[in-house]
Amino acid sequence: MVTVEFAASLRRHVECAPQSVAPGTLRDVLEGALRAAPALAHYVFDDQRAVRKHVAVFVNGRMVPERVKLNQSLGAGDRVLVIQALTGG
C-alpha cells in the first residue's frame, strides 16, 4: 500500500487521517486518498483537476514538480505528503 498524508495546514479545513491506498499512478493514489474526505479535494486540486499552485506534493521526501498529468508510478511502501505551500514576503 501507499501511505498518503495531508499536512495540518490542509487538515484544518477538512480532517483526513493518513490513508493507505493501492499502488498506481500519483493521480490514482491522490484520488483514492481523497475519497476519505471528498471536500478536501477542492483544496488540493483546481477546477481542471491540476494540483493547485500553492499546494506541494512530495513522494518519498522529494517534491513532485508535475501538477497536471501526475502519472508517476507509485509502489507499495511509497509515502506521499501533500502540503499547502506558504508564500509571503
Side-chain angles (χ1 to χ4, degrees), residues 4 9-11 15 17 21 26 28 30-31 34-36 41 57-58 62 64 75-76 82-83:
V4 181
S9 58
L10 289 167
R11 290 193 328 270
E15 185 54 45
V21 182
L26 178 55
D28 293 339
L30 288 173
E31 296 283 1
L34 287 166
R35 284 190 198 103
V57 178
F58 291 82
R62 300 185 84 177
V64 176
V82 183
I83 67 168

mmCIF file with all atom_site columns, all heavy atoms in Angstrom, residues 4 9-11 15 17 21 26 28 30-31 34-36 41 57-58 62 64 75-76 82-83:
data_model
loop_
_atom_site.group_PDB
_atom_site.id
_atom_site.type_symbol
_atom_site.label_atom_id
_atom_site.label_alt_id
_atom_site.label_comp_id
_atom_site.label_asym_id
_atom_site.label_entity_id
_atom_site.label_seq_id
_atom_site.pdbx_PDB_ins_code
_atom_site.Cartn_x
_atom_site.Cartn_y
_atom_site.Cartn_z
_atom_site.occupancy
_atom_site.B_iso_or_equiv
_atom_site.pdbx_formal_charge
_atom_site.auth_seq_id
_atom_site.auth_comp_id
_atom_site.auth_asym_id
_atom_site.auth_atom_id
_atom_site.pdbx_PDB_model_num
ATOM 1   N N   . VAL A 1 4  ? -0.634  8.026  2.221   1.00 0.00 ? 4  VAL A N   1
ATOM 2   C CA  . VAL A 1 4  ? -0.864  9.417  1.832   1.00 0.00 ? 4  VAL A CA  1
ATOM 3   C C   . VAL A 1 4  ? -1.252  10.197 3.075   1.00 0.00 ? 4  VAL A C   1
ATOM 4   O O   . VAL A 1 4  ? -2.174  9.816  3.793   1.00 0.00 ? 4  VAL A O   1
ATOM 5   C CB  . VAL A 1 4  ? -1.981  9.544  0.770   1.00 0.00 ? 4  VAL A CB  1
ATOM 6   C CG1 . VAL A 1 4  ? -2.180  10.996 0.368   1.00 0.00 ? 4  VAL A CG1 1
ATOM 7   C CG2 . VAL A 1 4  ? -1.672  8.673  -0.442  1.00 0.00 ? 4  VAL A CG2 1
ATOM 8   N N   . SER A 1 9  ? -1.921  22.045 7.681   1.00 0.00 ? 9  SER A N   1
ATOM 9   C CA  . SER A 1 9  ? -2.420  23.268 7.031   1.00 0.00 ? 9  SER A CA  1
ATOM 10  C C   . SER A 1 9  ? -3.607  22.971 6.116   1.00 0.00 ? 9  SER A C   1
ATOM 11  O O   . SER A 1 9  ? -4.440  23.843 5.889   1.00 0.00 ? 9  SER A O   1
ATOM 12  C CB  . SER A 1 9  ? -1.303  23.959 6.250   1.00 0.00 ? 9  SER A CB  1
ATOM 13  O OG  . SER A 1 9  ? -0.760  23.084 5.271   1.00 0.00 ? 9  SER A OG  1
ATOM 14  N N   . LEU A 1 10 ? -3.699  21.758 5.596   1.00 0.00 ? 10 LEU A N   1
ATOM 15  C CA  . LEU A 1 10 ? -4.863  21.356 4.804   1.00 0.00 ? 10 LEU A CA  1
ATOM 16  C C   . LEU A 1 10 ? -5.937  20.714 5.678   1.00 0.00 ? 10 LEU A C   1
ATOM 17  O O   . LEU A 1 10 ? -7.130  20.944 5.484   1.00 0.00 ? 10 LEU A O   1
ATOM 18  C CB  . LEU A 1 10 ? -4.440  20.378 3.702   1.00 0.00 ? 10 LEU A CB  1
ATOM 19  C CG  . LEU A 1 10 ? -3.641  20.994 2.565   1.00 0.00 ? 10 LEU A CG  1
ATOM 20  C CD1 . LEU A 1 10 ? -2.999  19.920 1.712   1.00 0.00 ? 10 LEU A CD1 1
ATOM 21  C CD2 . LEU A 1 10 ? -4.535  21.893 1.716   1.00 0.00 ? 10 LEU A CD2 1
ATOM 22  N N   . ARG A 1 11 ? -5.511  19.936 6.660   1.00 0.00 ? 11 ARG A N   1
ATOM 23  C CA  . ARG A 1 11 ? -6.483  19.254 7.533   1.00 0.00 ? 11 ARG A CA  1
ATOM 24  C C   . ARG A 1 11 ? -7.261  20.223 8.401   1.00 0.00 ? 11 ARG A C   1
ATOM 25  O O   . ARG A 1 11 ? -8.320  19.859 8.922   1.00 0.00 ? 11 ARG A O   1
ATOM 26  C CB  . ARG A 1 11 ? -5.779  18.216 8.404   1.00 0.00 ? 11 ARG A CB  1
ATOM 27  C CG  . ARG A 1 11 ? -5.270  17.014 7.635   1.00 0.00 ? 11 ARG A CG  1
ATOM 28  C CD  . ARG A 1 11 ? -4.847  15.860 8.542   1.00 0.00 ? 11 ARG A CD  1
ATOM 29  N NE  . ARG A 1 11 ? -4.313  16.248 9.816   1.00 0.00 ? 11 ARG A NE  1
ATOM 30  C CZ  . ARG A 1 11 ? -3.012  16.493 10.058  1.00 0.00 ? 11 ARG A CZ  1
ATOM 31  N NH1 . ARG A 1 11 ? -2.127  16.389 9.101   1.00 0.00 ? 11 ARG A NH1 1
ATOM 32  N NH2 . ARG A 1 11 ? -2.622  16.837 11.268  1.00 0.00 ? 11 ARG A NH2 1
ATOM 33  N N   . GLU A 1 15 ? -10.775 17.507 8.009   1.00 0.00 ? 15 GLU A N   1
ATOM 34  C CA  . GLU A 1 15 ? -9.959  16.484 8.671   1.00 0.00 ? 15 GLU A CA  1
ATOM 35  C C   . GLU A 1 15 ? -9.867  15.238 7.798   1.00 0.00 ? 15 GLU A C   1
ATOM 36  O O   . GLU A 1 15 ? -10.859 14.795 7.218   1.00 0.00 ? 15 GLU A O   1
ATOM 37  C CB  . GLU A 1 15 ? -10.547 16.127 10.037  1.00 0.00 ? 15 GLU A CB  1
ATOM 38  C CG  . GLU A 1 15 ? -9.696  15.173 10.830  1.00 0.00 ? 15 GLU A CG  1
ATOM 39  C CD  . GLU A 1 15 ? -8.247  15.629 11.012  1.00 0.00 ? 15 GLU A CD  1
ATOM 40  O OE1 . GLU A 1 15 ? -8.002  16.809 11.337  1.00 0.00 ? 15 GLU A OE1 1
ATOM 41  O OE2 . GLU A 1 15 ? -7.352  14.791 10.818  1.00 0.00 ? 15 GLU A OE2 1
ATOM 42  N N   . ALA A 1 17 ? -7.456  11.628 8.127   1.00 0.00 ? 17 ALA A N   1
ATOM 43  C CA  . ALA A 1 17 ? -6.363  10.836 8.702   1.00 0.00 ? 17 ALA A CA  1
ATOM 44  C C   . ALA A 1 17 ? -5.484  10.306 7.573   1.00 0.00 ? 17 ALA A C   1
ATOM 45  O O   . ALA A 1 17 ? -5.914  10.248 6.414   1.00 0.00 ? 17 ALA A O   1
ATOM 46  C CB  . ALA A 1 17 ? -6.951  9.673  9.494   1.00 0.00 ? 17 ALA A CB  1
ATOM 47  N N   . VAL A 1 21 ? -3.471  3.494  0.447   1.00 0.00 ? 21 VAL A N   1
ATOM 48  C CA  . VAL A 1 21 ? -4.123  3.409  -0.864  1.00 0.00 ? 21 VAL A CA  1
ATOM 49  C C   . VAL A 1 21 ? -3.368  2.400  -1.726  1.00 0.00 ? 21 VAL A C   1
ATOM 50  O O   . VAL A 1 21 ? -2.133  2.286  -1.614  1.00 0.00 ? 21 VAL A O   1
ATOM 51  C CB  . VAL A 1 21 ? -4.128  4.801  -1.543  1.00 0.00 ? 21 VAL A CB  1
ATOM 52  C CG1 . VAL A 1 21 ? -4.830  4.768  -2.875  1.00 0.00 ? 21 VAL A CG1 1
ATOM 53  C CG2 . VAL A 1 21 ? -4.771  5.838  -0.635  1.00 0.00 ? 21 VAL A CG2 1
ATOM 54  N N   . LEU A 1 26 ? 0.392   8.499  -9.406  1.00 0.00 ? 26 LEU A N   1
ATOM 55  C CA  . LEU A 1 26 ? 0.230   9.503  -8.354  1.00 0.00 ? 26 LEU A CA  1
ATOM 56  C C   . LEU A 1 26 ? -1.192  10.045 -8.356  1.00 0.00 ? 26 LEU A C   1
ATOM 57  O O   . LEU A 1 26 ? -1.794  10.227 -7.308  1.00 0.00 ? 26 LEU A O   1
ATOM 58  C CB  . LEU A 1 26 ? 1.257   10.623 -8.529  1.00 0.00 ? 26 LEU A CB  1
ATOM 59  C CG  . LEU A 1 26 ? 1.190   11.764 -7.527  1.00 0.00 ? 26 LEU A CG  1
ATOM 60  C CD1 . LEU A 1 26 ? 1.271   11.271 -6.090  1.00 0.00 ? 26 LEU A CD1 1
ATOM 61  C CD2 . LEU A 1 26 ? 2.295   12.779 -7.815  1.00 0.00 ? 26 LEU A CD2 1
ATOM 62  N N   . ASP A 1 28 ? -3.950  8.488  -9.341  1.00 0.00 ? 28 ASP A N   1
ATOM 63  C CA  . ASP A 1 28 ? -4.821  7.449  -8.781  1.00 0.00 ? 28 ASP A CA  1
ATOM 64  C C   . ASP A 1 28 ? -4.719  7.399  -7.258  1.00 0.00 ? 28 ASP A C   1
ATOM 65  O O   . ASP A 1 28 ? -5.723  7.274  -6.558  1.00 0.00 ? 28 ASP A O   1
ATOM 66  C CB  . ASP A 1 28 ? -4.457  6.070  -9.339  1.00 0.00 ? 28 ASP A CB  1
ATOM 67  C CG  . ASP A 1 28 ? -4.744  5.930  -10.823 1.00 0.00 ? 28 ASP A CG  1
ATOM 68  O OD1 . ASP A 1 28 ? -5.562  6.704  -11.367 1.00 0.00 ? 28 ASP A OD1 1
ATOM 69  O OD2 . ASP A 1 28 ? -4.136  5.034  -11.441 1.00 0.00 ? 28 ASP A OD2 1
ATOM 70  N N   . LEU A 1 30 ? -3.683  9.842  -5.178  1.00 0.00 ? 30 LEU A N   1
ATOM 71  C CA  . LEU A 1 30 ? -4.283  11.038 -4.571  1.00 0.00 ? 30 LEU A CA  1
ATOM 72  C C   . LEU A 1 30 ? -5.806  10.955 -4.593  1.00 0.00 ? 30 LEU A C   1
ATOM 73  O O   . LEU A 1 30 ? -6.468  11.238 -3.590  1.00 0.00 ? 30 LEU A O   1
ATOM 74  C CB  . LEU A 1 30 ? -3.807  12.304 -5.279  1.00 0.00 ? 30 LEU A CB  1
ATOM 75  C CG  . LEU A 1 30 ? -2.363  12.705 -5.026  1.00 0.00 ? 30 LEU A CG  1
ATOM 76  C CD1 . LEU A 1 30 ? -1.973  13.880 -5.931  1.00 0.00 ? 30 LEU A CD1 1
ATOM 77  C CD2 . LEU A 1 30 ? -2.136  13.057 -3.569  1.00 0.00 ? 30 LEU A CD2 1
ATOM 78  N N   . GLU A 1 31 ? -6.355  10.580 -5.734  1.00 0.00 ? 31 GLU A N   1
ATOM 79  C CA  . GLU A 1 31 ? -7.816  10.469 -5.841  1.00 0.00 ? 31 GLU A CA  1
ATOM 80  C C   . GLU A 1 31 ? -8.337  9.433  -4.857  1.00 0.00 ? 31 GLU A C   1
ATOM 81  O O   . GLU A 1 31 ? -9.365  9.648  -4.206  1.00 0.00 ? 31 GLU A O   1
ATOM 82  C CB  . GLU A 1 31 ? -8.231  10.108 -7.270  1.00 0.00 ? 31 GLU A CB  1
ATOM 83  C CG  . GLU A 1 31 ? -7.894  11.154 -8.320  1.00 0.00 ? 31 GLU A CG  1
ATOM 84  C CD  . GLU A 1 31 ? -8.813  12.354 -8.350  1.00 0.00 ? 31 GLU A CD  1
ATOM 85  O OE1 . GLU A 1 31 ? -9.757  12.434 -7.529  1.00 0.00 ? 31 GLU A OE1 1
ATOM 86  O OE2 . GLU A 1 31 ? -8.583  13.233 -9.194  1.00 0.00 ? 31 GLU A OE2 1
ATOM 87  N N   . LEU A 1 34 ? -8.322  10.870 -1.341  1.00 0.00 ? 34 LEU A N   1
ATOM 88  C CA  . LEU A 1 34 ? -9.325  11.923 -1.164  1.00 0.00 ? 34 LEU A CA  1
ATOM 89  C C   . LEU A 1 34 ? -10.752 11.374 -1.070  1.00 0.00 ? 34 LEU A C   1
ATOM 90  O O   . LEU A 1 34 ? -11.661 12.107 -0.685  1.00 0.00 ? 34 LEU A O   1
ATOM 91  C CB  . LEU A 1 34 ? -9.211  12.961 -2.283  1.00 0.00 ? 34 LEU A CB  1
ATOM 92  C CG  . LEU A 1 34 ? -7.982  13.857 -2.158  1.00 0.00 ? 34 LEU A CG  1
ATOM 93  C CD1 . LEU A 1 34 ? -7.730  14.631 -3.449  1.00 0.00 ? 34 LEU A CD1 1
ATOM 94  C CD2 . LEU A 1 34 ? -8.123  14.810 -0.984  1.00 0.00 ? 34 LEU A CD2 1
ATOM 95  N N   . ARG A 1 35 ? -10.944 10.107 -1.384  1.00 0.00 ? 35 ARG A N   1
ATOM 96  C CA  . ARG A 1 35 ? -12.277 9.514  -1.204  1.00 0.00 ? 35 ARG A CA  1
ATOM 97  C C   . ARG A 1 35 ? -12.688 9.515  0.264   1.00 0.00 ? 35 ARG A C   1
ATOM 98  O O   . ARG A 1 35 ? -13.870 9.527  0.581   1.00 0.00 ? 35 ARG A O   1
ATOM 99  C CB  . ARG A 1 35 ? -12.311 8.101  -1.772  1.00 0.00 ? 35 ARG A CB  1
ATOM 100 C CG  . ARG A 1 35 ? -12.376 8.082  -3.266  1.00 0.00 ? 35 ARG A CG  1
ATOM 101 C CD  . ARG A 1 35 ? -12.648 6.679  -3.818  1.00 0.00 ? 35 ARG A CD  1
ATOM 102 N NE  . ARG A 1 35 ? -12.275 6.662  -5.214  1.00 0.00 ? 35 ARG A NE  1
ATOM 103 C CZ  . ARG A 1 35 ? -11.160 6.122  -5.703  1.00 0.00 ? 35 ARG A CZ  1
ATOM 104 N NH1 . ARG A 1 35 ? -10.319 5.501  -4.902  1.00 0.00 ? 35 ARG A NH1 1
ATOM 105 N NH2 . ARG A 1 35 ? -10.893 6.182  -6.977  1.00 0.00 ? 35 ARG A NH2 1
ATOM 106 N N   . ALA A 1 36 ? -11.692 9.513  1.152   1.00 0.00 ? 36 ALA A N   1
ATOM 107 C CA  . ALA A 1 36 ? -11.984 9.537  2.586   1.00 0.00 ? 36 ALA A CA  1
ATOM 108 C C   . ALA A 1 36 ? -12.470 10.905 3.048   1.00 0.00 ? 36 ALA A C   1
ATOM 109 O O   . ALA A 1 36 ? -13.123 11.020 4.074   1.00 0.00 ? 36 ALA A O   1
ATOM 110 C CB  . ALA A 1 36 ? -10.742 9.138  3.390   1.00 0.00 ? 36 ALA A CB  1
ATOM 111 N N   . ALA A 1 41 ? -10.621 17.701 -1.599  1.00 0.00 ? 41 ALA A N   1
ATOM 112 C CA  . ALA A 1 41 ? -10.165 17.758 -2.993  1.00 0.00 ? 41 ALA A CA  1
ATOM 113 C C   . ALA A 1 41 ? -10.145 19.190 -3.524  1.00 0.00 ? 41 ALA A C   1
ATOM 114 O O   . ALA A 1 41 ? -9.259  19.561 -4.285  1.00 0.00 ? 41 ALA A O   1
ATOM 115 C CB  . ALA A 1 41 ? -11.045 16.876 -3.875  1.00 0.00 ? 41 ALA A CB  1
ATOM 116 N N   . VAL A 1 57 ? 3.280   18.562 -3.523  1.00 0.00 ? 57 VAL A N   1
ATOM 117 C CA  . VAL A 1 57 ? 3.158   17.128 -3.310  1.00 0.00 ? 57 VAL A CA  1
ATOM 118 C C   . VAL A 1 57 ? 4.568   16.542 -3.263  1.00 0.00 ? 57 VAL A C   1
ATOM 119 O O   . VAL A 1 57 ? 5.392   16.819 -4.141  1.00 0.00 ? 57 VAL A O   1
ATOM 120 C CB  . VAL A 1 57 ? 2.340   16.466 -4.444  1.00 0.00 ? 57 VAL A CB  1
ATOM 121 C CG1 . VAL A 1 57 ? 2.266   14.955 -4.250  1.00 0.00 ? 57 VAL A CG1 1
ATOM 122 C CG2 . VAL A 1 57 ? 0.941   17.069 -4.523  1.00 0.00 ? 57 VAL A CG2 1
ATOM 123 N N   . PHE A 1 58 ? 4.828   15.746 -2.240  1.00 0.00 ? 58 PHE A N   1
ATOM 124 C CA  . PHE A 1 58 ? 6.125   15.096 -2.073  1.00 0.00 ? 58 PHE A CA  1
ATOM 125 C C   . PHE A 1 58 ? 5.924   13.588 -2.116  1.00 0.00 ? 58 PHE A C   1
ATOM 126 O O   . PHE A 1 58 ? 4.981   13.064 -1.520  1.00 0.00 ? 58 PHE A O   1
ATOM 127 C CB  . PHE A 1 58 ? 6.743   15.464 -0.718  1.00 0.00 ? 58 PHE A CB  1
ATOM 128 C CG  . PHE A 1 58 ? 7.174   16.895 -0.631  1.00 0.00 ? 58 PHE A CG  1
ATOM 129 C CD1 . PHE A 1 58 ? 6.259   17.892 -0.341  1.00 0.00 ? 58 PHE A CD1 1
ATOM 130 C CD2 . PHE A 1 58 ? 8.492   17.244 -0.843  1.00 0.00 ? 58 PHE A CD2 1
ATOM 131 C CE1 . PHE A 1 58 ? 6.642   19.223 -0.256  1.00 0.00 ? 58 PHE A CE1 1
ATOM 132 C CE2 . PHE A 1 58 ? 8.891   18.566 -0.763  1.00 0.00 ? 58 PHE A CE2 1
ATOM 133 C CZ  . PHE A 1 58 ? 7.968   19.563 -0.470  1.00 0.00 ? 58 PHE A CZ  1
ATOM 134 N N   . ARG A 1 62 ? 10.671  13.796 -1.833  1.00 0.00 ? 62 ARG A N   1
ATOM 135 C CA  . ARG A 1 62 ? 11.077  14.611 -2.981  1.00 0.00 ? 62 ARG A CA  1
ATOM 136 C C   . ARG A 1 62 ? 9.858   15.288 -3.591  1.00 0.00 ? 62 ARG A C   1
ATOM 137 O O   . ARG A 1 62 ? 8.853   14.631 -3.886  1.00 0.00 ? 62 ARG A O   1
ATOM 138 C CB  . ARG A 1 62 ? 11.755  13.746 -4.038  1.00 0.00 ? 62 ARG A CB  1
ATOM 139 C CG  . ARG A 1 62 ? 13.013  13.065 -3.475  1.00 0.00 ? 62 ARG A CG  1
ATOM 140 C CD  . ARG A 1 62 ? 13.722  12.320 -4.522  1.00 0.00 ? 62 ARG A CD  1
ATOM 141 N NE  . ARG A 1 62 ? 14.573  13.314 -5.207  1.00 0.00 ? 62 ARG A NE  1
ATOM 142 C CZ  . ARG A 1 62 ? 15.399  13.019 -6.168  1.00 0.00 ? 62 ARG A CZ  1
ATOM 143 N NH1 . ARG A 1 62 ? 15.483  11.783 -6.601  1.00 0.00 ? 62 ARG A NH1 1
ATOM 144 N NH2 . ARG A 1 62 ? 16.139  13.944 -6.719  1.00 0.00 ? 62 ARG A NH2 1
ATOM 145 N N   . VAL A 1 64 ? 7.339   16.811 -6.133  1.00 0.00 ? 64 VAL A N   1
ATOM 146 C CA  . VAL A 1 64 ? 6.921   16.467 -7.489  1.00 0.00 ? 64 VAL A CA  1
ATOM 147 C C   . VAL A 1 64 ? 6.598   17.776 -8.217  1.00 0.00 ? 64 VAL A C   1
ATOM 148 O O   . VAL A 1 64 ? 5.649   18.466 -7.833  1.00 0.00 ? 64 VAL A O   1
ATOM 149 C CB  . VAL A 1 64 ? 5.677   15.547 -7.466  1.00 0.00 ? 64 VAL A CB  1
ATOM 150 C CG1 . VAL A 1 64 ? 5.180   15.257 -8.861  1.00 0.00 ? 64 VAL A CG1 1
ATOM 151 C CG2 . VAL A 1 64 ? 5.978   14.270 -6.704  1.00 0.00 ? 64 VAL A CG2 1
ATOM 152 N N   . GLY A 1 75 ? 4.596   2.595  -5.840  1.00 0.00 ? 75 GLY A N   1
ATOM 153 C CA  . GLY A 1 75 ? 4.504   1.201  -5.443  1.00 0.00 ? 75 GLY A CA  1
ATOM 154 C C   . GLY A 1 75 ? 4.312   1.057  -3.948  1.00 0.00 ? 75 GLY A C   1
ATOM 155 O O   . GLY A 1 75 ? 4.343   2.036  -3.189  1.00 0.00 ? 75 GLY A O   1
ATOM 156 N N   . ALA A 1 76 ? 4.158   -0.174 -3.537  1.00 0.00 ? 76 ALA A N   1
ATOM 157 C CA  . ALA A 1 76 ? 3.979   -0.485 -2.113  1.00 0.00 ? 76 ALA A CA  1
ATOM 158 C C   . ALA A 1 76 ? 5.135   0.093  -1.307  1.00 0.00 ? 76 ALA A C   1
ATOM 159 O O   . ALA A 1 76 ? 6.289   -0.003 -1.709  1.00 0.00 ? 76 ALA A O   1
ATOM 160 C CB  . ALA A 1 76 ? 3.890   -1.988 -1.922  1.00 0.00 ? 76 ALA A CB  1
ATOM 161 N N   . VAL A 1 82 ? 1.130   15.729 1.153   1.00 0.00 ? 82 VAL A N   1
ATOM 162 C CA  . VAL A 1 82 ? 0.531   16.872 0.461   1.00 0.00 ? 82 VAL A CA  1
ATOM 163 C C   . VAL A 1 82 ? 0.496   18.035 1.453   1.00 0.00 ? 82 VAL A C   1
ATOM 164 O O   . VAL A 1 82 ? -0.092  17.912 2.529   1.00 0.00 ? 82 VAL A O   1
ATOM 165 C CB  . VAL A 1 82 ? -0.887  16.544 -0.048  1.00 0.00 ? 82 VAL A CB  1
ATOM 166 C CG1 . VAL A 1 82 ? -1.470  17.716 -0.816  1.00 0.00 ? 82 VAL A CG1 1
ATOM 167 C CG2 . VAL A 1 82 ? -0.872  15.273 -0.896  1.00 0.00 ? 82 VAL A CG2 1
ATOM 168 N N   . ILE A 1 83 ? 1.145   19.136 1.068   1.00 0.00 ? 83 ILE A N   1
ATOM 169 C CA  . ILE A 1 83 ? 1.189   20.299 1.957   1.00 0.00 ? 83 ILE A CA  1
ATOM 170 C C   . ILE A 1 83 ? 0.675   21.527 1.235   1.00 0.00 ? 83 ILE A C   1
ATOM 171 O O   . ILE A 1 83 ? 0.689   21.604 0.008   1.00 0.00 ? 83 ILE A O   1
ATOM 172 C CB  . ILE A 1 83 ? 2.606   20.568 2.505   1.00 0.00 ? 83 ILE A CB  1
ATOM 173 C CG1 . ILE A 1 83 ? 3.545   21.005 1.384   1.00 0.00 ? 83 ILE A CG1 1
ATOM 174 C CG2 . ILE A 1 83 ? 3.159   19.367 3.218   1.00 0.00 ? 83 ILE A CG2 1
ATOM 175 C CD1 . ILE A 1 83 ? 4.854   21.565 1.888   1.00 0.00 ? 83 ILE A CD1 1
#
